[in-house]
Structure formats: C-alpha cells, structure tokens
Amino acid sequence: MPQIIESNAVQMLLVSFGGVIAYGIYNFRPWLLALAGVVVALLIHFSFLFDVGEVYSYSDFYKRAFWYFGDDVTTCLAAVYIWSLLSRRPKLGCVLATAILLSGGRIGIVLVIIQIGLLYFGPNLHYRGLFTTVALTIATAIPVYYSSVLVSPTMISVGNEVAYQLGSNKTWFQKTTNGADCIGDNCFEYKIKRPLRIRIYGAVAGLWMTLDGGYPGSRFPNTPEKLANLMTEANPWGLNDRLNITREDWLMVGTIQSPYLQFGAGYGPFFLIAAMSIIGLICVVGFRNLLAQPGESGSAFAIFFIVNAIFNQTQAWLLPGPILFVMALCGTNMIVQPFLTSRRSGNQAQPVAVANG
C-alpha cells in the first residue's frame, strides 16, 4: 500500500484532486485566494530580508528568495497576480508583483509578461484601467526590491542583535553567500550555452525514453546518477560518440526539465498523447471562455493554464508539485465556468420573464 501511494501516478492524481478541492473552496470563499497570496508574499519578503529559507545572493543587487516554497512559487504567484488585476485589486497586485520580483525566477517572470500580454491582446477586453494598474504594480515592485536588497544586511544584523538581547547564545540569521554570479567572459557560457546545452540533452534523453516505451516506477532515472548511468550505457542514437557527451555531462543534466517529455519518459508515448489531448481540450475550453467573457476575474485561471501549457517548457509541472496543483485549480474553473455562467444567466432571466408576464 505505501508503494502505491508513493508512486508518481498516484501522487499526480492526489495533487490534481487537491487542486479541484481548492477550486471548490475558492468558489465559495474567493477572498481566501487573496489571503493565501498575501501570506506567501509576506513570507517571501521576510525570507528576502533576513535570508531565511531558500535564498540565493548573486551580487550586491541581484538576489532571490523563496522561503521554503521552492522556485516554482514565482510561476504560481502569477495566477494570483493576474487574478488581482482582473478583480480590480491594485493593492493586492502591488504585493504580489513585489513577491514575484523578490523570488526572481526568470522563467516565472517571463510567463507573467506573456500572461499580461495575453490580457492586452484579448478581444473585447473592457478594462480601461488595466495599463494603469499594471504600471502601478511594477512601479511599486521595483523600488521595494532594490530597497530590500540594500536594507537586508542591516535587517540581519538587527535581528541577531535582538536575539542576543533576548539571551540567545547563537545567531538567528546568517547572510547567504551561495549563487555567485558570472564574471566577464564566463557569462555567455554560464548564462546561455550551458543552460541551453543541458535543456537540449535533457530533451534528447526524454524523447529517447518516450519512444523506447517509457520507464515507469522504479525504472525511471529519478536521480542524476541514474540518468547518467542510463544515458551512458544506452548511448541514444549514438549521440554520446557523435557529440562527445560524457557521463559528467549527463550528471550535469540531472533530470528532464521538459514537462511533456518527462511525462512521456516515465509513461511512454500513448499516455503522453492521452495527457496532451486532455490538456489541449482544456485549453480549447479556456480560449472559448476568454472569448465569451473577457475581463472576468475567472479569466486569470484560463490565461494561467493556457500560457503554462504552451509556453512553460522548462519546468516539469506535469508532475506532483505546486504548479500542477494550481493548474488543476485553473483547469477545474475553466471546465465549470460555462455551467456557472449559464446558471447565472438563467437566474437573471427569470425575474425579467415574471415582470413581462
């Protein structure tokens, strides 16, 4: 029984079911979404100021903090941020935009920009204050970010002084030194060539494992060592010899980052086709919802789902994790929304019919 519960497929179903339950709670208490966003944003800001949790300090002006949420939190906050824009909650939008910038995930920020762009280019979007609201949130987030970077060492010192005054014999906070940024000529290799090479090698591994029928259960190389061993021994399509790929290169790859290829690598091509078909159908429903009701707060969920399904190809979100949880919440909203809309329209039409009668 424990092995069944711990299996990847069961955990995916459990996380997705959790997202469905979360949507049910949101449908009755929408303010809980705003509360959750504020709590997460405040914890990220605390993490950023005091270097608590997962923090990366690259330079004096470039720093990222996730508390204990992991770097997927930037992507997840995007859904609540877009929701705050469409819900006409500019203050909440400022808080969330600041948290997104403090957590600083590049992929997450790019996805936010794409989602905002989809808002602007959406047909019949009757929201004249959207540009002003987005500009306000960005204008708030940028100075808060830089002021937080500058004040963080002082906050750490003050926090440790308070700990000393309270009789603590050890420091509470410690400035992080990990995540050193690149210098000079190494930047192109460090920022461009190496990440691109890792993603290409990972995609090759995922494609080969998918076409090989998948590696479910304990056969899946869920550690860098297992992946390196498998790819070194298998030498897919002879690429190790042709491109001089070594075991150390595969160790650097570590895992398959593409969500679809990682799913296919585990379950094979037929399950991958089935999963992509379901996701594609949900995207079609989402597009129809956006065309029918542009500017509604629920449109944020459709935008988040569609953008991640199409553009988020570097985070393995099609596995148990926070992004899959949010995707399940958004997907449930997209499927249920047309029924709720038709029901509301029917309820509004009844009084009119009675009055005319």
Side-chain angles (χ1 to χ4, degrees):
M1 188 67 178
Q3 292 180 347
I4 296 176
I5 295 176
E6 292 175 1
S7 70
N8 191 59
V10 172
Q11 289 188 15
M12 285 178 61
L13 291 174
L14 291 175
V15 170
S16 300
F17 182 71
V20 174
I21 298 299
Y23 168 73
I25 297 173
Y26 160 80
N27 195 41
F28 289 99
R29 296 290 186 273
W31 58 269
L32 287 174
L33 183 62
L35 178 62
V38 170
V39 170
V40 171
L42 290 177
L43 290 174
I44 289 175
H45 205 163
F46 180 83
S47 174
F48 193 95
L49 288 174
F50 293 95
D51 286 22
V52 176
E54 192 174 357
V55 182
Y56 295 89
S57 298
Y58 297 93
S59 67
D60 292 338
F61 297 100
Y62 180 29
K63 181 177 176 181
R64 301 172 63 193
F66 318 123
W67 182 246
Y68 295 100
F69 299 119
D71 60 356
D72 288 345
V73 70
T74 309
T75 303
C76 295
L77 283 173
V80 192
Y81 172 68
I82 300 298
W83 177 81
S84 71
L85 297 178
L86 295 178
S87 300
R88 275 69 168 178
R89 292 177 168 91
K91 294 180 181 178
L92 176 62
C94 292
V95 172
L96 294 170
T98 301
I100 289 171
L101 201 57
L102 293 174
S103 58
R106 285 171 290 183
I107 298 301
I109 292 176
V110 169
L111 293 173
V112 171
I113 294 172
I114 295 173
Q115 291 175 68
I116 293 174
L118 191 57
L119 280 179
Y120 278 112
F121 293 104
N124 303 319
L125 179 59
H126 301 296
Y127 187 178
R128 296 180 180 178
L130 179 61
F131 178 82
T132 303
T133 305
V134 172
L136 174 65
T137 60
I138 295 174
T140 301
I142 292 176
V144 171
Y145 171 85
Y146 282 109
S147 62
S148 297
V149 170
L150 295 174
V151 79
S152 177
T154 303
M155 297 298 290
I156 292 173
S157 300
V158 171
N160 288 328
E161 180 64 26
V162 172
Y164 175 77
Q165 295 295 332
L166 293 176
S168 176
N169 56 3
K170 60 181 181 180
T171 58
W172 285 357
F173 310 108
Q174 186 71 37
K175 182 174 176 57
T176 58
T177 56
N178 57 335
D181 206 358
C182 59
I183 300 174
D185 296 335
N186 292 330
C187 284
F188 185 72
E189 170 68 27
Y190 184 76
K191 294 291 187 182
I192 305 297
K193 290 181 63 177
R194 189 172 73 171
L196 183 61
R197 186 166 57 245
I198 287 174
R199 284 168 172 78
I200 291 175
Y201 291 172
V204 169
L207 180 61
W208 178 82
M209 292 172 65
T210 300
L211 297 178
D212 198 41
Y215 289 71
S218 59
R219 296 177 60 206
F220 187 82
N222 57 353
T223 65
E225 290 76 15
K226 289 183 179 180
L227 180 66
N229 291 338
L230 176 62
M231 291 297 106
T232 303
E233 295 172 5
N235 189 18
W237 302 307
L239 291 178
N240 290 347
D241 301 326
R242 295 179 187 177
L243 302 179
N244 196 26
I245 305 175
T246 65
R247 186 177 185 277
E248 287 68 27
D249 293 326
W250 287 117
L251 281 172
M252 188 179 296
V253 173
T255 187
I256 304 163
Q257 295 186 355
S258 170
Y260 296 115
L261 290 177
Q262 188 174 64
F263 183 87
Y267 299 103
F270 298 108
F271 283 101
L272 174 60
I273 292 172
M276 293 183 68
S277 299
I278 294 172
I279 292 172
L281 288 174
I282 297 176
C283 286
V284 170
V285 173
F287 274 117
R288 293 183 63 182
N289 292 352
L290 289 176
L291 293 174
Q293 287 188 308
E296 292 289 332
S297 59
S299 298
F301 301 129
I303 291 172
F304 179 86
F305 189 99
I306 293 168
V307 167
N308 278 274
I310 297 175
F311 296 101
N312 191 358
Q313 299 305 311
T314 60
Q315 295 174 317
W317 56 263
L318 198 55
L319 288 174
I323 301 181
L324 179 62
F325 174 84
V326 179
M327 290 286 280
L329 187 157
C330 295
T332 305
N333 174 270
M334 293 159 63
I335 295 171
V336 174
Q337 191 64 34
F339 298 99
L340 294 178
T341 302
S342 60
R343 184 177 177 182
R344 289 168 186 162
S345 299
N347 291 336
Q348 291 175 356
Q350 277 185 339
V352 176
V354 172
N356 293 336

